[in-house]
Amino acid sequence: MAKSTFEYVKNFEVDDTLLPNTWIVVRLDGKCFHKFSDDHNFAKPNDIRALKLMNYAAFTILREFNDVLMAFGQSDEYSFIFKKQTTLHKRRSAKLLTTMTSKFTSSYVYHWEKFFENDLLKYPPAFDGRVVLYPSDENLIDYMKWRQADVHINNLYNTSFWTLIQKGKLSPSQAEKRLCGTVSADKNEILFQEFGINYNNEPEIFKRGTLLMRQNMLFNNKAKNIIVDIHDDMLKDKFWKQHSSLLSLKQ
Ligand code: DGT
Ligand code: MG
Ligand code: MG
Ligand code: MG
Ligand code: MG
């Protein structure tokens, strides 16, 4: 078909191709989930149904997009790490970000009932997203460590805060005052001495978030690539040595 006189408008579109040979990370985060979690009576501080639904929505993405190497989730956020050499959507930033965001969001809604059963979804949730590029393996590993350290800091605080309220019968402002200025060791002490809770025994998914990754496994002598969810300590360098093939790191 001949070009129309209107077609020049296409030239207004800007090129957003992401730099080659860099790690592409897409991080999604629930919009106003403080309110959304209240409106849907999420258990405090961790609702296992909500975390499992997040994991399942992320799993649908890994299942569909082979170029997503792994994903890390915690609270209302999920980070997707693409294979370094991916050419998906010609590495166009907006295409990658919007496809991930809309697929994740629709999966979250579509699979809601699987996890929340009769507790109905009251309104459509939204997730925002961003794309970040990391040039070196070290930067990417530090990114993963950063997100996991965030889980630890928040979860220890939230577990202490809600234990003081739910079991210690403090008001939220009293609990906040009690924790003001405390370091990790103090919070562990409060939980253990006053409530008999050993923080180390809390579920791994709460303490460490979830890493989804691909693993080759043998089924009836046939190699199969499956997606597994693990809650390992990524802050330890041992983890990255053990999984060096993941990023094709040199030993
Ligand atoms: P944003 O991201 O700026 O739109 O605002 P929020 O409200 O989503 O804040 P954000 O993302 O910093 O923090 C996540 C919120 O989600 C936080 O208020 C706690 C809530 N949330 C996430 N997972 C759970 C859960 O399992 N249980 C409960 N009760 N709340 C949760
Ligand atoms: Mg936020
Ligand atoms: Mg949020
Ligand atoms: Mg968040
Ligand atoms: Mg189209």
Side-chain angles (χ1 to χ4, degrees):
M1 214 166 78
K3 281 192 173 184
S4 77
T5 54
F6 311 122
E7 197 155 328
Y8 78 94
V9 296
K10 185 112 181 64
N11 297 327
F12 283 59
E13 291 182 14
V14 290
D15 176 30
D16 64 348
T17 307
L18 295 166
L19 201 67
N21 206 35
T22 50
W23 292 105
I24 301 171
V25 175
V26 168
R27 182 168 77 255
L28 310 181
D29 185 284
K31 183 165 182 295
C32 298
F33 262 47
H34 182 72
K35 182 172 187 319
F36 183 84
S37 57
D38 270 353
D39 290 341
H40 292 86
N41 301 316
F42 283 14
K44 293 172 194 297
N46 295 292
D47 191 313
I48 191 67
R49 301 169 303 173
L51 294 174
K52 284 188 170 170
L53 174 57
M54 290 289 289
N55 289 350
Y56 199 76
F59 168 76
T60 62
I61 290 209
L62 262 82
R63 197 174 49 186
E64 187 166 330
F65 299 94
N66 264 322
D67 279 28
V68 177
L69 183 68
M70 58 181 172
F72 179 70
Q74 56 127 336
S75 181
D76 68 339
E77 70 167 61
Y78 239 100
S79 299
F80 296 92
I81 293 85
F82 284 82
K83 290 177 182 165
K84 205 172 177 182
Q85 309 300 342
T86 185
T87 52
L88 185 64
H89 292 311
K90 299 191 178 130
R91 294 179 80 93
R92 286 161 66 189
S93 181
K95 283 262 188 185
L96 291 173
L97 179 60
T98 54
T99 308
M100 291 300 121
T101 312
S102 62
K103 187 73 181 190
F104 185 88
T105 309
S106 64
S107 299
Y108 188 93
V109 171
Y110 189 78
H111 296 296
W112 173 271
E113 268 181 38
K114 270 196 184 66
F115 300 92
F116 284 88
E117 296 178 359
N118 296 326
D119 290 329
L120 299 183
L121 184 61
K122 294 181 175 160
Y123 52 84
F127 289 83
D128 68 29
R130 70 195 70 194
V131 177
V132 193
L133 292 180
Y134 291 107
S136 70
D137 292 354
E138 192 193 352
N139 293 152
L140 179 68
I141 291 171
D142 284 345
Y143 173 82
M144 303 296 278
K145 289 181 177 178
W146 174 51
R147 293 329 297 146
Q148 193 169 52
D150 191 74
V151 188
H152 172 70
I153 295 162
N154 289 335
N155 192 58
L156 180 58
Y157 183 89
N158 291 337
T159 304
S160 312
F161 180 78
W162 287 105
T163 303
L164 285 167
I165 293 170
Q166 290 161 351
K167 300 205 170 128
K169 305 295 172 207
L170 296 193
S171 71
S173 69
Q174 286 171 325
E176 197 180 324
K177 266 202 203 104
R178 183 75 209 282
L179 294 174
C180 186
T182 56
V183 296
S184 291
D186 303 325
K187 294 186 189 76
N188 276 303
E189 247 349 78
I190 291 173
L191 285 171
F192 193 68
Q193 296 298 340
E194 296 179 29
F195 303 100
I197 296 171
N198 183 344
Y199 182 75
N200 292 331
N201 296 338
E202 288 291 294
E204 301 297 313
I205 186 174
F206 295 171
K207 287 184 296 183
R208 297 209 174 117
T210 301
L211 180 70
L212 297 180
M213 58 180 212
R214 301 176 190 282
Q215 223 166 49
N216 276 319
M217 290 230 176
L218 278 181
F219 285 101
N220 300 328
N221 291 325
K222 271 191 199 143
K224 259 199 157 175
N225 192 261
I226 60 161
I227 299 161
V228 293
D229 57 326
I230 60 172
H231 315 285
D232 291 4
D233 187 352
M234 299 192 295
L235 290 162
K236 294 214 168 75
D237 289 325
K238 192 177 94 186
F239 173 87
W240 296 101
K241 285 209 177 94
Q242 270 171 0
H243 294 90
S244 59
S245 61
L246 200 59
L247 309 183
S248 303
L249 289 178
K250 310 269 175 313
Q251 288 277 11

